[in-house]
Amino acid sequence: MRWGRQLRCGIARHSPLLVALMCLGLWDSPPRASTRTETEPLFPRGLTLEIPPPQTVNEEEVLRITIPVKGGRPGTRVFVEGLPPGARWHEPSRTLTFQPDFIQGGWRHEVTFTAVDGEQRVQGELMVTVRDTVRPPEPRIVQREEEAGSLRLTLEQPTDTWLDSPSQAGRAFPAVVTVPLAATARQPMAVTVRLHGVGNWPPAPELARDRFIIQPSDPQLTYWYGYSEDALRGTAPRGAVPPYTVRRVLALLEWVLRNYPSADPNRVFVEGDSMGGAGALTLGLLDARHFAGVFARHAQPVARAHRPWRLAQLSSLWGMPEEEVPGPEGLGVWSRLDMTRALRDEPEARSQFLILEHGKDDPIIHFGSMVSPSTLTGSSFYETLQSQHIGHVAVWHEGGHTEPDPWLGERWWDRGWNPRSDAKSFLRRDVAFPAFSRSSWDGDPGRGGNGHQPWRKESGYAGDPKVAGDTGWDGDVAGMFNRALRWDASRLVDTPQRFVMPLRAVLGPGVTTTPQVDVTPRRVQRFQCLPGERIRWSFGHAHGTVFAAPDGGVTVPRLSLRGDWTPLVLERG
C-alpha cells in the first residue's frame, strides 16, 4: 500500500488528530479506486509570492511590474499597501503600474503585498526607488520677513525649458511662501497652495501660524495651466501645449516639502477664486496624487465654456478649441481641461474631495459653469459629481463674482466646519473618506432660466448681485450639496477584509427629517475590491449586499443618516 503510506505521511504533516485516529483503527486509507494519482498532493501546494528585486524608475517614465503567485487555492487574493502616490494596483492581472511625476524623484517606497487564499497568508515587500532625473532650477529667496509666529519668504523662481517655453526660458517668476514657525517634524502642519485670480498679484501679507502657504504667480493669465511650447509674443500658438504653469506650481511645492520637514505632504490643499478656482480644479484633479482637497470659488470647470472674451484670450495661448492642439500626453488641451471628462476618465481625479462655491448672479463665471452640459461629455459638472460619486460639498447663492449674497451675507455657509482642520471629519491624502451623492437633503440648483432675465453670452441669466430675488436662473436661489453630512476619520477601520467608518448628519433646530444618501468610500488604502465583487454592508439595523463597480469602487445606496454616529461596515461577501 505504497499510496496509503504516502497519504499517511501527508496527513501526519498536516493533522496529528488524524494520525491518532489511524492508530486507534478509527480511520483507514481510501480505497484504491480513487482517481488521485500517486504524485498528486492531497492539499494545495504552499502559497508563495514571487517578489522581484528592488526596482528603480526615472521621473516621468512608466514602471510596470507583475507579481506572480504560485500554489494556494483558486481565488487567491493579493492586497497591496504602501503604494507610491499615483501608483495603481490592478489585482486581476496582479500588475503594479507607476509613472512618477517630476517632483517624486529621490523618494523610496516599501510596497507590501499580501496573498490570501482562505487558509494561507503570505507577505512580501518590494522597494521602489524614484530617481531624481528632472531637475528644474530651484527658487531663490530674495527677502525674509518675520512677524507674529510666521516667516514670509519672497522668492524668485527661475525657469528652464521644463518650466517655460524654449523661447522664454531663463526668466524668473515671483512667488511667496509663508512658513509657520511653530511647525516641527514631529508635529508637521498642513500646506495650502493658493492660486490668485486675474489682477490679484502680489498677495497681501497675512499671518500663518497653523499652516504653510505657497503663493505662486501666473502673470500671463494661463489659467494655471500652460501655453504653446513655441509661443512668441504677438504670434499664434504653434506646437504642443505643455503645462508649464502647473509645473512651476508643483516645483514650488516640491521645494517646500524638501526644505521643510515640518510641512505635511499628506495634508496639502489647493485653493483659489475665479482664475485661481479654475486652477485649483486643474491641479487638484489632474495632479490629484499630491493634494488632500480642493477649495474652488467661482471656478469654471469646463475650458470650452468660458465666456467669449476669455475664450479669445486663452486661444492665444492654447490654440483654438476646434484645433485641439495636443498637450504632452496627446490629448487636446481643451478636452484635457474639461473637468467633467477628468472625473469620468481618470481614477486619480475621482479620488479627490472638492469644496465649491458659485454665485447665481455672477456675470463673469456665470452659473452655467455648474449646471450646463459639457459639449464633450454631455453632462454638467454638478451631474458629474453625482453620477461619478465624487466627494464634494457644493454651495450656491445669489451673490456675484465678488459680491456676497444680498440676503445671506458673506460666506454664510462656511462657518463651524472645515475638513482641513476638523478633529473628526478631516481630509488626508493617505486616509479614506466617504463620497456622498444623491442626498435627499440636496437643494435644486436648476438647469436654465426662469424668465426673469434674458440670456446673455457673457453672463448667462445673471441678475444684479445686489438685488435679492432677481436672478434669472431657475431652481433654488441658494442651496447646498452635502454641507451637513459628516464622517469620523478618527475611528476609521481600513483592512483587507473590513472597512468601517462612522457617519452622521448635522440636525439643526427644527429639522424633522433625516437624509437618505448614497455613500462611496474613496481613497481606500487596504479594503480594495475586484470589479463585480460581492460586498456585505451594514448600517445600524439596515444591511444588504452590493457589487463593486468596474473601477473597484463600492457604493451603498440610500443610507438613512441619523444625528448620532452610526458605523458603516463593509465586509467581503
Side-chain angles (χ1 to χ4, degrees):
M1 296 291 290
R2 178 184 174 193
W3 186 90
R5 286 197 302 272
Q6 287 181 342
L7 181 62
R8 285 185 175 92
C9 292
I11 292 172
R13 288 195 299 269
H14 290 279
S15 175
L17 175 60
L18 291 182
V19 175
L21 291 174
M22 287 166 43
C23 294
L24 293 173
L26 300 178
W27 190 91
D28 204 351
S29 59
R32 285 294 295 249
S34 170
T35 59
R36 182 181 298 276
T37 65
E38 290 189 354
T39 58
E40 183 180 356
L42 177 65
F43 296 93
R45 292 178 299 169
L47 180 63
T48 60
L49 276 168
E50 295 191 352
I51 305 296
Q55 300 289 304
T56 302
V57 60
N58 295 336
E59 292 173 321
E60 300 292 323
E61 294 185 357
V62 177
L63 174 68
R64 187 172 287 109
I65 306 169
T66 299
I67 308 296
V69 180
K70 293 188 176 180
R73 295 178 178 273
T76 295
R77 298 294 305 271
V78 180
F79 304 101
V80 62
E81 299 179 41
L83 284 174
R88 297 186 63 192
W89 170 243
H90 185 253
E91 190 182 349
S93 64
R94 291 168 180 161
T95 301
L96 168 66
T97 304
F98 178 39
Q99 183 177 13
D101 69 17
F102 79 100
I103 74 167
Q104 292 182 277
W107 296 95
R108 302 177 68 195
H109 305 271
E110 186 174 82
V111 184
T112 300
F113 298 89
T114 303
V116 181
D117 73 350
E119 291 188 356
Q120 304 174 83
R121 179 178 183 272
V122 296
Q123 279 190 336
E125 287 77 34
L126 171 66
M127 185 65 71
V128 177
T129 302
V130 184
R131 292 193 187 97
D132 190 9
T133 52
V134 181
R135 298 182 178 181
E138 289 206 349
R140 299 186 294 260
I141 300 174
V142 297
Q143 187 175 6
R144 299 172 183 263
E145 303 169 272
E146 186 173 334
E147 183 178 357
S150 63
L151 176 64
R152 177 183 168 93
L153 304 176
T154 301
L155 308 176
E156 281 185 347
Q157 187 178 19
T159 63
D160 60 0
T161 55
W162 181 255
L163 301 181
D164 210 347
S165 62
S167 62
Q168 302 175 94
R171 59 179 170 168
F173 289 81
V176 173
V177 171
T178 305
V179 179
L181 297 178
T184 66
R186 290 189 175 184
Q187 292 184 320
M189 291 186 179
V191 180
T192 293
V193 178
R194 182 175 298 161
L195 308 180
H196 67 78
V198 175
N200 292 329
W201 182 268
E206 65 176 293
L207 302 180
R209 298 188 181 95
D210 61 347
R211 56 177 168 157
F212 290 79
I213 302 177
I214 301 173
Q215 295 171 283
S217 62
D218 184 9
Q220 291 177 274
L221 307 185
T222 71
Y223 265 65
W224 297 101
Y225 183 70
Y227 38 90
S228 169
E229 62 187 356
D230 292 331
L232 292 172
R233 185 168 301 186
T235 64
R238 296 174 297 172
V241 181
Y244 293 124
T245 315
V246 169
R247 291 172 181 172
R248 288 200 298 271
V249 176
L250 294 178
L252 283 173
L253 174 60
E254 179 187 30
W255 183 82
V256 169
L257 294 178
R258 289 191 187 279
N259 285 277
Y260 294 93
S262 53
D264 191 343
N266 289 313
R267 290 191 295 152
V268 179
F269 301 89
V270 58
E271 67 178 30
D273 194 341
S274 188
M275 182 181 78
L281 289 176
T282 298
L283 269 86
L285 295 180
L286 301 184
D287 294 278
R289 67 182 65 182
H290 297 301
F291 299 101
V294 175
F295 295 73
R297 303 179 65 200
H298 311 112
Q300 173 56 266
V302 178
R304 280 193 184 90
H306 274 294
R307 57 197 174 116
W309 188 92
R310 187 59 66 193
L311 284 174
Q313 182 257 322
L314 292 174
S315 294
S316 70
L317 300 171
W318 305 341
M320 299 297 291
E322 60 271 17
E323 295 174 354
E324 281 286 31
V325 176
E329 298 170 357
L331 183 65
V333 64
W334 292 92
S335 294
R336 179 166 170 74
L337 295 179
D338 185 328
M339 297 300 109
T340 66
R341 179 214 58 82
L343 293 174
R344 182 194 66 182
D345 297 346
E346 302 188 21
E348 278 191 61
R350 291 196 294 274
S351 72
Q352 191 55 271
F353 190 95
L354 310 175
I355 295 185
L356 309 166
E357 179 190 4
H358 286 80
K360 283 201 164 185
D361 284 347
D362 186 340
I364 297 175
I365 305 294
H366 67 64
F367 197 58
S369 62
M370 292 289 105
V371 298
S372 297
S374 158
T375 57
L376 178 67
T377 66
S379 179
S380 74
F381 195 66
Y382 277 165
E383 289 169 342
T384 303
L385 294 174
Q386 304 281 15
S387 65
Q388 298 297 329
H389 308 290
I390 307 303
H392 69 285
V393 169
V395 300
W396 66 90
H397 47 72
E398 208 181 355
H401 198 65
T402 58
E403 302 87 350
D405 184 282
W407 179 260
L408 298 171
E410 180 72 24
R411 301 187 75 89
W412 56 275
W413 59 276
D414 194 20
R415 304 185 185 107
W417 175 67
N418 189 325
R420 278 186 286 212
S421 56
D422 191 82
K424 294 184 180 295
S425 301
F426 56 81
L427 294 170
R428 287 179 58 95
R429 185 181 59 172
D430 58 348
V431 173
F433 65 84
F436 299 113
S437 54
R438 294 200 311 134
S439 169
S440 60
W441 273 7
D442 283 349
D444 174 18
R447 288 175 173 268
N450 60 16
H452 293 173
Q453 300 287 347
W455 171 260
R456 296 175 294 273
K457 287 185 178 180
E458 291 283 345
S459 57
Y461 295 110
D464 186 339
K466 298 179 181 179
V467 178
D470 78 331
T471 187
W473 293 96
D474 63 0
D476 297 335
V477 174
M480 301 181 287
F481 293 157
N482 305 324
R483 174 62 177 83
L485 308 182
R486 300 285 188 274
W487 67 97
D488 188 349
S490 68
R491 292 195 285 159
L492 169 69
V493 176
D494 185 355
T495 71
Q497 300 301 321
R498 197 165 185 260
F499 182 92
V500 182
M501 179 168 282
L503 309 173
R504 78 178 185 96
V506 178
L507 304 181
V511 175
T512 58
T513 62
T514 56
Q516 288 191 327
V517 63
D518 296 352
V519 179
T520 306
R522 292 293 188 187
R523 283 192 196 137
V524 173
Q525 303 294 303
R526 298 174 183 85
F527 189 77
Q528 300 137 359
C529 299
L530 291 169
E533 184 177 357
R534 181 175 178 267
I535 301 297
R536 297 192 305 266
W537 65 268
S538 64
F539 188 72
H541 296 298
H543 59 87
T545 60
V546 292
F547 295 90
D551 65 355
V554 175
T555 298
V556 183
R558 315 318 295 154
L559 289 182
S560 295
L561 271 59
R562 302 192 299 268
D564 57 332
W565 291 109
T566 304
L568 171 62
V569 180
L570 305 180
E571 296 176 302
R572 303 198 182 279

